[in-house]
Amino acid sequence: MRVSEQPLITAEAIAARVEELGRELTVRYTGKRPLLLAVLKGASLFVADLARSLPMELELDFVQARSYAGTRSTGSVALSRAEDLEVTARHVIVVEDIVDTGRTVEALLERLRGLDPASLALCALLDKPSRRVVPVQPDYTGFSIDDHFVVGYGLDCDGLHRNLPAIHVMEQ
Ligand code: 5GP
């Protein structure tokens, strides 16, 4: 497997879309002091840029979810730090790198719903709707993509390539 030479989504396109998402979120969340809850590790770069595109007061926290080994879904999801999350009565925006089958984020959303947030929204940089197994739909999506395994801008393949500034496809 190797990283495609040409990006699927350029760093410039990502930056422009993150700014747009920031504007959409600003309309809904100004004055609500939202909690951005980013899913480690993949959403770390996205949330760093997204948070800086939001001019209002907000809080930032992280949760870890693991469902993948290499490029294949394991079908099971482990959440860590979920017990420590203070989300009751908060306006929570879950920030994900990518929604694929939907299992990971649905497990997290279900956990959060049980903690009675004032509101709960999902903001995903990438969406692969053709791969969905669980019916979950992001409220805010950066880009919808076809069924590729992608890396860069926080997304990895076995721990590597998170630092690429653009999104690339892993090729055989
Ligand atoms: P799901 O539970 O929706 O199938 O998978 C979500 C998680 O799987 C994502 O948060 C991400 O960590 C990983 N994942 C799914 N598709 C991709 C992909 O194309 N590239 C990378 N690097 N990770 C992916």
Side-chain angles (χ1 to χ4, degrees):
M1 297 277 273
R2 61 187 166 78
V3 178
S4 67
E5 210 170 296
Q6 292 303 318
L8 179 67
I9 307 171
T10 64
E12 292 74 21
I14 295 169
R17 187 72 187 115
V18 170
E19 284 299 321
E20 280 174 12
L21 289 171
R23 283 195 287 275
E24 286 180 46
L25 290 168
T26 299
V27 170
R28 176 163 165 193
Y29 289 98
T30 295
K32 294 191 167 146
R33 200 180 282 188
L35 172 66
L36 291 189
L37 186 58
V39 184
L40 290 171
K41 301 174 186 171
S44 54
L45 275 63
F46 176 39
V47 80
D49 288 337
L50 186 66
R52 285 178 291 180
S53 77
L54 298 174
M56 82 282 282
E57 284 193 345
L58 58 78
E59 286 182 57
L60 180 56
D61 203 352
F62 296 88
V63 64
Q64 183 144 30
R66 281 224 181 83
S67 70
Y68 264 65
T71 60
R72 301 197 32 219
S73 172
T74 60
S76 63
V77 178
L79 296 176
S80 61
R81 288 212 61 244
E83 284 72 25
D84 303 334
L85 298 173
E86 295 184 7
V87 303
T88 304
R90 302 296 309 275
H91 293 280
V92 179
I93 307 169
V94 172
V95 180
E96 249 294 25
D97 55 354
I98 186 164
V99 182
D100 184 29
T101 65
R103 285 192 187 105
T104 308
V105 83
E106 184 50 33
L108 175 58
L109 292 173
E110 204 169 297
R111 193 78 152 260
L112 294 173
R113 278 183 212 114
L115 298 172
D116 284 327
S119 68
L120 186 57
L122 172 60
C123 178
L125 175 69
L126 301 173
D127 188 9
K128 284 199 265 190
S130 65
R131 294 257 310 157
R132 201 71 94 253
V133 172
V134 176
V136 53
Q137 175 71 42
D139 302 280
Y140 302 90
T141 304
F143 302 90
S144 265
I145 62 170
D146 292 336
D147 182 12
H148 304 293
F149 192 84
V150 292
V151 296
Y153 195 64
L155 289 109
D156 75 313
C157 183
D158 283 335
L160 296 178
H161 313 308
R162 293 191 199 277
N163 56 316
L164 296 173
I167 306 279
H168 295 257
V169 174
M170 289 302 289
E171 298 174 330
Q172 293 291 343

